[in-house]
Amino acid sequence: MSARDRILQRLQSQWIASDAGDPDLAVHLDKQWSGDERLDRFQQMIESVHGEVVRVNRKDWSEHLARICAAEGFERVLVGAGEVADQAAAAVSGEVRRYDAPINEWKGELFSNIDAAFTSTRGGIAETGSLVMWPTPDEPRLMSLVPPVHIALLDGQTIGNTFTEVLTEQGWATQMPTNALLVSGPSKSADIAQVLAYGVHGPKRLIVLLIQD
C-alpha cells in the first residue's frame, strides 16, 4: 500500500467513525436575497475586505474601465482573448498587453511591467462577496494572481445567493474545471504575528465593474 493510499484510508476511517452523515444543505440554501438586495449584499461583503465596486451599465462598462485606467495612470494593462477582452483593449488608452505567449517567455514582464490586468468572471456569491472565476487559455489564472491591480467585470445577473447555489446552478459536479478561483478582495495574509495585511502576495487592489442592469 502506498503512502497516498494509507492517508486516504485513515481519512476514510475517521469519517466513518465520526458518523457525520451527509451534510444538511438546507442550512446553506435558505439564504435568499432579491435581485437588488443580492447586488447590495455582494458589494457590502467584498468592500468589507477592501474590494472596490463600480456600478456600471451593460452598454457603458468599457467607458468606466477607460476612466479608471486613465485616472489611476495605468500605462500597461493586461487583457486576455475573446470579445469582452477586445472591448476592454479598445477602451484602454495606454499600452495593451495580451496574454498570448507561454509564461516562461515573458515572466519578467508579467511580474515587473504590468500595471493592471482585466478579466471577465463566471459569476459571484452574494453571501461572501466572492468572484467566481474559471481560468481558461484565453484568460489564464496568473492574470488575476500576479499584476498589482485586478479589474474584473461581473454581470450582476450571474451572482448567486450562496456558494451552494452557484455550485448547483452552474453544474460544477458535471464540469469541474482544472482550476476554479473564488476571489474575495485583494490578496491578504495573517501569517506574520497573526496581523491581517493586504497586498502581501498578489494584487494589492481588486476593482469590480458590476453590471447592474
Side-chain angles (χ1 to χ4, degrees), residues 183-194:
V183 178
S184 302
S187 67
K188 46 192 170 289
S189 174
D191 291 342
I192 302 176
Q194 301 298 299

Side-chain angles (χ1 to χ4, degrees), residues 7 27 34 44 52 63 68 72 78-79 81-82 101 107 129 137 150 163 200:
I7 293 172
V27 175
S34 68
Q44 174 190 356
E52 304 168 46
E63 297 174 12
I68 290 171
E72 298 291 342
L78 176 65
V79 302
K107 183 186 299 183
H150 176 201
F163 184 35
V200 177

Side-chain angles (χ1 to χ4, degrees), residues 64-75 77 91-94 116 151:
H64 284 274
L65 174 64
R67 285 197 287 270
I68 290 171
C69 291
E72 298 291 342
F74 298 148
E75 297 180 358
V77 179
V92 175
S93 58
I151 305 172

